[in-house]
Amino acid sequence: MKTYLITGGAGFIGANFVKYLIKKYGLSAKIIVLDKLTYAGNLQTLENELDKIEFIKGDICNRELVEYIFTKNNIDYVINFAAESHVDRSIESPEIFLKTNILGTQNLLEVSKKAWLIGEDEYKVGVKYLQVSTDEVYGSLGDTGYFTEETPLDPRSPYSASKTSADLIVKAYIDTYKFPANITRCSNNYGPYHFPEKLIPLIIKNIIEGKTLPVYGDGKNVRDWLYVEDHCKAIDIVINKGTLGEIYNVGGHNEKQNIEIVKIIIDIMAELTSKEIKYREVLKTEVGNINENLIKYVKDRKGHDRRYAIDPSKITSELGWYPETKFEDGIIKTIKWYLKNQQWVNGVTSGNYQQYYDKMYNEARQNIIK
Ligand code: NAD
Ligand code: TYD
């Protein structure tokens, strides 16, 4: 049995990864989730998994707590998803991004290094730390070209600067202490449980509510979209097969302009809700209002990166990973999920899930360390 410490496991990708692991490995994976439950972390997302995992509410920056988790458990893998993740918020308030994303990462590295070290530069067999990073560390592309693992780091937002700093600390631990780690750098994810401040879930939510659809600048910025389950598969493969010390880019070869994404979502939602009453019932507006008149071009994001596009050939050729979900299928699955799970959306946007947490906390006190 392998023991995973999954930080940020109540967030979008982390929670999808927890579900993926349980589905794939069942009881042969012992899963400990450490999550601070910020506005982006939602324990309700893990409602059906709580009897199969150990959930700990806490901060990755807390040295005592992380050490305690390591003394109580024989951790094989640390997968660090925990982060402040929204670029717009990082522009407003950079400091928490530096604390969590940089200092939190260093704290996890230091504690796991101490716990795993068995001799000089020698570590327990089979252990690994995986840093979940982003393609945003490479900066912004022009109309052509792709990010490879060799592309120079050139972060341009406080978020991407904090993620880049974290990557460099991980690299320093690899180079200096021969620490057993990998870094994965992924493009934009989409799928279920995505907090509705990010483009795709925000557009779906606003269409349901009959609100305008904010498109930054000219709408022609490009992102390379990857279905979250494909990202989870990539992480699982890197944990099991990745060569220690290596960086792997993970991307979907799915480049789309933001305005294209918005129009695709409008078309699919108009069709689904006009055909099926169960979807129409969810709307707080009329089906006839779902059209391009909802689009509103708004002031551009400061320093808005123009284009991201990943070259995933290293992870494909060396580890056999490839994105399985076509965008056309993934986006329909995602939209249907949001239409069916309005309770989740309302919970996370109203903050009610914090009350849900308090209830869970009282019921499961014995599993939770303060
Ligand atoms: P998210 O914002 O949905 O979730 C982050 C989680 O981390 C939340 O559950 C939050 O409560 C938790 N957290 C925040 N600060 C913490 C702290 N100090 N201690 C413990 N937990 C804390 O983010 P996400 O979209 O799931 O992203 C997960 C990781 O993947 C991040 O590291 C992000 O940089 C990276 N990433 C995301 C994308 C994407 O498209 N979403 C793409 C590439 C990389
Ligand atoms: P986002 O989902 O915030 O991810 P990231 O900035 O990490 O790529 O944004 C995706 C793209 O969509 C980005 O180019 C900014 C743009 N965007 C809008 O045009 N309108 C919005 O309301 C949001 C949230 C993003």
Side-chain angles (χ1 to χ4, degrees):
M1 178 191 269
K2 297 289 184 189
T3 302
Y4 294 72
L5 174 59
I6 300 179
T7 67
F12 165 47
I13 308 174
N16 274 286
F17 185 68
V18 168
K19 289 170 195 289
Y20 178 82
L21 279 185
I22 292 173
K23 210 160 107 191
K24 179 158 181 198
Y25 298 109
L27 293 176
S28 61
K30 180 178 176 195
I31 299 171
I32 301 162
V33 171
L34 171 63
D35 196 298
K36 189 177 166 187
L37 296 182
T38 65
Y39 77 95
N42 178 8
L43 202 50
Q44 213 168 345
T45 306
L46 294 175
E47 191 169 23
N48 296 326
E49 286 73 32
L50 282 173
D51 58 341
K52 301 174 201 82
I53 65 172
E54 186 177 338
F55 180 81
I56 298 166
K57 182 184 179 185
D59 193 326
I60 56 166
C61 299
N62 183 334
R63 174 66 55 96
E64 251 189 325
L65 173 61
V66 179
E67 278 176 351
Y68 183 80
I69 295 169
F70 268 88
T71 45
K72 289 281 167 197
N73 299 281
N74 202 0
I75 308 276
D76 295 292
Y77 305 128
V78 175
I79 297 113
N80 183 25
F81 292 98
E84 288 293 335
S85 69
H86 191 37
V87 174
D88 292 327
R89 287 180 189 252
S90 82
I91 294 167
E92 290 301 315
S93 320
E95 199 171 322
I96 185 67
F97 284 73
L98 274 55
K99 280 191 183 138
T100 289
N101 299 1
I102 306 173
L103 297 178
T105 296
Q106 195 269 334
N107 190 41
L108 293 172
L109 290 168
E110 189 56 25
V111 176
S112 36
K113 177 168 82 67
K114 281 196 184 130
W116 288 340
L117 205 61
I118 51 169
E120 197 178 340
D121 293 345
E122 215 187 313
Y123 295 85
K124 280 172 146 174
V125 176
V127 295
K128 182 178 280 194
Y129 175 100
L130 193 147
Q131 177 71 5
V132 181
S133 185
T134 165
D135 60 357
E136 303 194 24
V137 300
Y138 298 119
S140 182
L141 288 166
D143 289 343
T144 56
Y146 295 94
F147 297 134
T148 72
E149 290 78 1
E150 310 303 321
T151 303
L153 300 174
D154 182 26
R156 291 157 36 87
S157 72
Y159 163 69
S160 55
S162 69
K163 292 295 290 184
T164 308
S165 306
D167 283 12
L168 291 176
I169 303 283
V170 177
K171 184 182 175 310
Y173 270 67
I174 293 170
D175 293 339
T176 309
Y177 308 112
K178 310 289 172 255
F179 183 71
N182 284 122
I183 298 172
T184 54
R185 294 185 178 142
C186 189
S187 59
N188 287 61
N189 285 218
Y190 69 101
Y193 305 108
H194 204 180
F195 194 84
E197 65 181 351
K198 307 280 169 62
L199 180 70
I200 289 182
L202 179 83
I203 295 300
I204 299 171
K205 177 174 177 290
N206 282 13
I207 291 177
I208 291 172
E209 294 175 0
K211 293 185 181 156
T212 56
L213 312 177
V215 173
Y216 298 169
D218 65 2
K220 293 186 178 159
N221 298 63
V222 171
R223 296 294 182 263
D224 180 0
W225 295 94
L226 180 71
Y227 193 61
V228 64
E229 201 180 345
D230 283 330
H231 185 190
C232 295
K233 283 181 193 160
I235 290 175
D236 181 39
I237 289 175
V238 174
I239 291 167
N240 287 295
K241 300 205 311 199
T243 306
L244 289 179
E246 290 295 309
I247 296 169
Y248 296 95
N249 282 355
V250 185
H253 269 315
N254 237 317
E255 286 180 56
K256 298 251 181 301
Q257 291 183 342
N258 294 334
I259 189 65
E260 286 179 76
I261 293 283
V262 173
K263 288 180 179 172
I264 289 169
I265 298 174
I266 291 173
D267 288 348
I268 296 171
M269 288 190 67
E271 194 182 330
L272 283 176
T273 54
S274 62
K275 279 193 182 149
E276 293 204 48
I277 185 154
K278 68 175 181 205
Y279 295 132
R280 195 154 58 245
E281 278 171 355
V282 176
L283 296 179
K284 296 182 184 129
T285 184
E286 299 300 316
V287 178
N289 293 336
I290 304 179
N291 58 53
E292 292 183 12
N293 293 332
L294 289 173
I295 295 172
K296 185 165 183 232
Y297 287 92
V298 298
K299 192 166 170 260
D300 208 356
R301 173 186 281 172
K302 281 182 192 296
H304 197 174
D305 287 343
R306 192 62 173 170
R307 176 172 163 257
Y308 303 144
I310 284 260
D311 173 356
S313 47
K314 178 174 172 180
I315 189 169
T316 302
S317 64
E318 292 183 12
L319 307 184
W321 176 87
Y322 61 93
E324 289 171 40
T325 310
K326 284 196 206 120
F327 186 77
E328 305 81 80
D329 300 331
I331 193 69
I332 292 175
K333 275 204 262 186
T334 303
I335 291 170
K336 285 184 176 170
W337 186 88
Y338 277 90
L339 286 165
K340 282 185 201 146
N341 288 277
Q342 278 301 290
Q343 216 186 341
W344 182 90
V345 176
N346 295 334
V348 297
T349 43
S350 69
N352 281 346
Y353 65 94
Q354 297 292 2
Q355 289 161 23
Y356 177 84
Y357 171 73
D358 290 342
K359 185 169 162 276
M360 292 305 307
Y361 180 87
N362 290 329
E363 282 171 11
R365 218 180 176 95
Q366 69 279 11
N367 285 333
I368 295 171
I369 307 157
K370 268 216 149 169

